[in-house]
């Protein structure tokens, strides 16, 4: 009975166990398209997601990820209100038409208008009287206020140039440039201000042509929630989250699944559920009508789950087992954890993932919230597992640590990763490596990499041969150096 457990034991593989076979390729690297899906309705230009960890994704990271064409998932180690504020900050960062425009009245004091501009970080306020647009006041007007002026009505521009809300973006651009103005209020047929177009947003849009944007032109952002936190999911959807990521170490748990079922009814944006690592879990979660699956139990650089609990599935096998089930239902798979090099991204996608989620590789960037430190003359940034002692003591305890009174069993470590520069530089190298792998396998797009990618299993000697060897390295190219810890 026990010996039988081993008679047909399955072999499981991870990134270092395999390589992709080079194939005859008709593909020119410049034609390669890496656009993909994160979930049923969220499409992205690059298949990379930043992990919801408190040393990886807050506002700055989410903005940078979305601008480069991926998406960031804001972590949940904070109150629901704080997380909602972060979501709305990302959403307000840019848009074609700003909604919920901040306004003032002619009688508003200059002091108060200045304070609104400062606290909301905005440079202009339409002035409204009896629901009608009567002026506009900008930061410039407020900076150079003449002697004795007290209210907005004394300094505002009265003949405001405005447009109908239906105006398209090209026409709005013409009006802004022709009149050399920065802001164009939009009004409905009753003359009520219902939106605002700014020259700054139009310029930023041009600068980031690949950005992940929603229908209103705002950057897309995801939010993590605990498996039982339906209220939080509702709050975050209201704040503008485009995607809810149910963040648990074991989504294939009956209570978690019952809760996801309720959450599915409570929110209408896409729900990504995870983490899972088996075909059975994929089947059960897909039946709850989730829109994406997050795969990985224990592969992460900071994870100790496999050591502490003896549980997990090497990541390439986990991805392919889940993807076999998910692909039939059109549910994208996100490969989460264990990605150390761009080559691992190529392998994860060839194994069936539609996108990868990164912690460690992004934790070292300028835009991560982790604190900076210098060790042996080199710059590092703090990076820690969400099941580490520091996180559990500080608040979030339901992802990994089983609590009993004040005791808990952590499943992650705390440490530091080398400073890696800006997110756009790191993503440039990662996407460059991905495109190179797609070229070698003759894959013009992500779907063809999934079907074309053929693996071969390697030995420890094959792995040793794969890395630079038998040389004292004097100069490492940046895209190899960035992986060194
Ligand atoms: P990488 O390898 O990119 O992995 O650093 C990031 C992923 O690791 C997961 N994660 C954890 N897993 N204990 C774990 O077992 C932890 O404390 C922990 N914190 C994060 C998570 O899936 C993340 O995206």
């Amino acid at each position: 009975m026990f010996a039988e457990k081993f008679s047909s034991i399955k072999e499981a593989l991870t990134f270092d166990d395999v390589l992709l076979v080079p194939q005859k390729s008709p593909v020119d690297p410049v034609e390669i398209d890496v656009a993909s899906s994160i979930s049923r309705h969220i499409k992205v230009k690059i298949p990379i997601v930043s992990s919801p960890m408190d040393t990886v994704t807050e506002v700055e990271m989410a903005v940078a990820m979305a601008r480069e064409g991926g998406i960031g998932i804001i972590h949940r180690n904070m109150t629901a209100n704080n997380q909602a504020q972060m979501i709305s900050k990302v959403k307000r960062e840019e848009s074609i038409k700003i909604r919920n425009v901040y306004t003032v009245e002619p009688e508003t004091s200059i002091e108060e208008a200045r304070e609104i501009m400062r606290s909301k970080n905005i440079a202009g306020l339409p002035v409204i009287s009896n629901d009608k647009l009567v002026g506009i006041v900008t930061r410039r007007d407020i900076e150079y206020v003449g002697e004795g002026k007290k209210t907005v009505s004394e300094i505002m521009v009265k003949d405001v140039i405005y447009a109908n809300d239906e105006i398209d973006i090209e026409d709005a651009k013409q009006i802004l440039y022709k009149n050399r103005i920065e802001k164009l209020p939009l009004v409905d047929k009753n003359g009520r201000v219902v939106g605002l177009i700014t020259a700054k947003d139009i310029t930023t849009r041009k600068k980031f042509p690949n950005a992940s944007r929603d229908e209103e032109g705002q950057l897309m952002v995801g939010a993590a929630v605990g498996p039982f936190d339906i209220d939080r999911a509702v709050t975050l959807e209201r704040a503008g989250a485009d995607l809810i990521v149910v963040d648990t170490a074991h989504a294939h748990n009956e209570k978690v699944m019952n809760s996801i079922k309720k959450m599915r009814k409570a929110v209408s944006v896409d729900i990504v559920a995870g983490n899972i690592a088996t075909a059975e879990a994929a089947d059960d979660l897909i039946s709850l009508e989730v829109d994406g699956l997050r795969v990985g139990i224990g592969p992460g650089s900071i994870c100790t789950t496999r050591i502490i609990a003896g549980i997990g599935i090497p990541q390439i096998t986990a991805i392919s087992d889940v993807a076999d089930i998910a692909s039939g239902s059109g549910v994208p798979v996100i490969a989460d954890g264990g990605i150390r090099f761009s080559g691992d991204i190529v392998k994860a996608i060839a194994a069936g993932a539609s996108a990868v989620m990164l912690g460690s590789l992004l934790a070292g960037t300028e835009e991560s919230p982790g604190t900076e430190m210098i060790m042996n003359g080199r710059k590092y940034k703090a990076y820690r597992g969400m099941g580490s002692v520091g996180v559990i003591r500080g608040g979030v305890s339901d992802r990994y640590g089983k609590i009993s009174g004040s005791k808990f069993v952590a499943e992650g470590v705390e440490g530091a990763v080398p400073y890696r520069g800006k997110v756009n530089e790191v993503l440039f190298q990662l996407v460059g490596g991905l495109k190179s792998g797609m070229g070698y396998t003759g894959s013009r797009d992500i779907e063809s990499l999934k079907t074309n990618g053929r693996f071969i299993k390697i030995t420890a000697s094959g792995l040793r041969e794969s890395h630079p060897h038998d040389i004292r390295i004097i100069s490492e190219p940046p895209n190899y150096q960035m992986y060194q810890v």
Side-chain angles (χ1 to χ4, degrees):
M1 171 191 166
F2 293 111
E4 252 174 42
K5 292 188 186 185
F6 302 96
S7 56
S8 59
I9 194 164
K10 180 171 166 168
E11 184 181 58
L13 303 169
T14 192
F15 298 108
D16 277 354
D17 298 321
V18 292
L19 281 171
L20 283 156
V21 179
Q23 296 178 56
K24 183 173 175 185
S25 173
V27 177
D28 180 342
V30 293
E31 312 166 346
I32 291 174
D33 180 3
V34 295
S36 191
S37 298
I38 301 300
S39 60
R40 275 191 223 263
H41 306 101
I42 305 281
K43 312 255 178 279
V44 285
K45 295 276 172 39
I46 66 166
I48 302 183
V49 185
S50 69
S51 177
M53 300 172 74
D54 63 2
T55 45
V56 180
T57 313
E58 290 188 351
V59 175
E60 252 191 282
M61 176 65 73
V63 167
M65 287 299 298
R67 281 188 170 149
E68 294 307 315
I71 192 166
I73 314 295
I74 306 266
H75 72 88
R76 63 184 176 95
N77 190 12
M78 62 184 112
T79 63
N81 275 346
N82 286 350
Q83 198 183 3
Q85 271 172 20
M86 287 199 186
I87 297 287
S88 31
K89 266 198 184 148
V90 179
K91 297 309 288 183
R92 291 189 71 96
E93 186 71 25
E94 340 172 337
S95 49
I96 309 177
K97 293 179 182 173
I98 298 170
R99 299 297 178 190
N100 307 322
V101 182
Y102 295 110
T103 58
V104 287
E105 290 171 2
E107 302 74 40
T108 307
S109 72
I110 293 173
E111 219 23 73
E112 197 180 325
R114 182 181 285 133
E115 181 50 28
I116 297 173
M117 287 186 193
R118 194 198 56 77
S119 62
K120 309 289 181 204
N121 192 24
I122 49 179
L125 293 164
V127 185
I128 310 292
S129 178
N130 294 328
D131 263 0
K132 294 267 175 334
L133 179 66
V134 294
I136 188 160
V137 59
T138 66
R139 197 173 275 161
R140 213 176 311 139
D141 303 325
I142 283 205
E143 263 166 29
Y144 304 106
V145 183
E147 280 288 307
K149 304 240 164 51
K150 290 203 170 58
T151 62
V152 161
S153 62
E154 296 168 74
I155 58 164
M156 68 188 190
V157 173
K158 292 199 177 87
D159 44 353
V160 198
I161 296 167
Y162 61 91
N164 193 289
D165 190 37
E166 255 81 85
I167 192 167
D168 76 38
I169 200 75
E170 279 310 312
D171 292 343
K173 220 156 67 183
Q174 292 309 321
I175 298 180
L176 286 164
Y177 293 156
K178 224 167 58 208
N179 296 287
R180 294 168 188 271
I181 52 172
E182 294 283 320
K183 309 211 173 303
L184 184 66
L186 303 174
V187 299
D188 66 9
K189 55 181 185 319
N190 301 319
R192 224 175 279 136
V193 174
V194 289
L196 187 73
I197 293 180
T198 75
K200 181 175 142 251
D201 283 340
I202 291 178
T203 318
T204 317
R205 259 179 98 71
K206 263 202 257 154
K207 215 165 126 197
F208 301 105
N210 280 337
S212 308
R213 295 196 166 93
D214 62 18
E215 282 164 7
E216 292 278 310
Q218 295 181 319
L219 295 175
M220 291 208 283
V221 60
V225 300
F228 306 108
D229 213 345
I230 296 173
D231 289 348
R232 184 183 286 247
V234 171
T235 305
L236 296 170
E237 177 177 42
R238 264 193 219 127
D242 298 277
L243 177 71
I244 295 292
V245 174
V246 181
D247 183 42
T248 158
H250 185 36
H252 200 202
N253 165 295
E254 288 182 6
K255 280 195 182 146
V256 167
M257 289 194 292
N258 282 336
S259 181
I260 291 177
K261 210 171 179 176
K262 290 184 196 141
M263 203 180 284
R264 174 67 295 170
K265 293 207 175 91
V267 301
S268 52
V269 292
D270 277 9
I271 294 182
V272 168
N275 282 28
I276 58 164
T278 64
E280 295 76 23
D283 222 2
D284 285 346
L285 283 165
I286 289 170
S287 72
L288 303 178
E289 292 177 29
V290 299
D291 308 285
L293 293 170
R294 185 177 167 201
V295 175
I297 302 221
S301 59
I302 34 39
C303 300
T304 55
T305 298
R306 293 185 187 170
I307 307 306
I308 299 304
I311 298 295
I313 306 230
Q315 188 67 345
I316 285 286
T317 296
I319 297 168
S320 57
D321 282 357
V322 169
D324 265 344
I325 301 294
S327 59
S329 319
V331 175
V333 166
I334 303 175
D336 172 24
I339 306 271
R340 304 145 306 156
F341 315 110
S342 51
D344 293 344
I345 301 179
V346 192
K347 293 175 190 177
I349 293 173
S354 291
V356 295
M357 179 176 274
L358 306 180
S360 149
L361 280 179
L362 293 171
T365 57
E366 184 73 33
E367 291 86 345
S368 79
T371 40
E372 275 183 26
M373 55 191 93
I374 307 280
M375 291 191 283
N376 297 330
R378 192 173 171 195
K379 195 150 113 178
Y380 288 80
K381 288 194 85 167
Y383 180 46
R384 63 182 188 177
M386 293 305 281
S388 65
V389 173
V391 173
I392 295 175
R393 285 229 170 94
V396 170
S397 55
D398 59 349
R399 186 176 154 100
Y400 301 92
K402 319 280 178 303
I403 300 276
S404 143
S406 59
K407 292 196 188 127
F408 53 83
V409 182
E411 287 185 25
V413 297
E414 296 172 63
V417 289
Y419 176 78
R420 293 192 169 98
K422 293 205 150 249
V423 164
N424 65 350
E425 290 155 13
V426 171
L427 291 181
F428 178 82
Q429 292 300 337
L430 295 178
V431 172
L434 169 60
K435 286 186 173 171
S436 175
M438 290 169 74
Y440 280 110
T441 54
S443 316
R444 203 164 260 123
D445 53 35
I446 294 292
E447 281 310 309
S448 13
L449 174 58
K450 284 192 208 169
T451 31
N452 294 350
R454 285 209 326 262
F455 285 101
I456 137 169
K457 193 173 146 193
I458 63 169
T459 61
S461 341
L463 177 62
R464 212 175 314 123
E465 185 185 67
S466 301
H467 285 272
H469 54 86
D470 302 304
I471 179 174
R472 230 171 247 287
I473 297 178
I474 294 169
S475 161
E476 276 174 340
N479 66 343
Y480 189 73
Q481 194 189 29
M482 77 183 220
Y483 302 125
Q484 311 304 317
V485 186

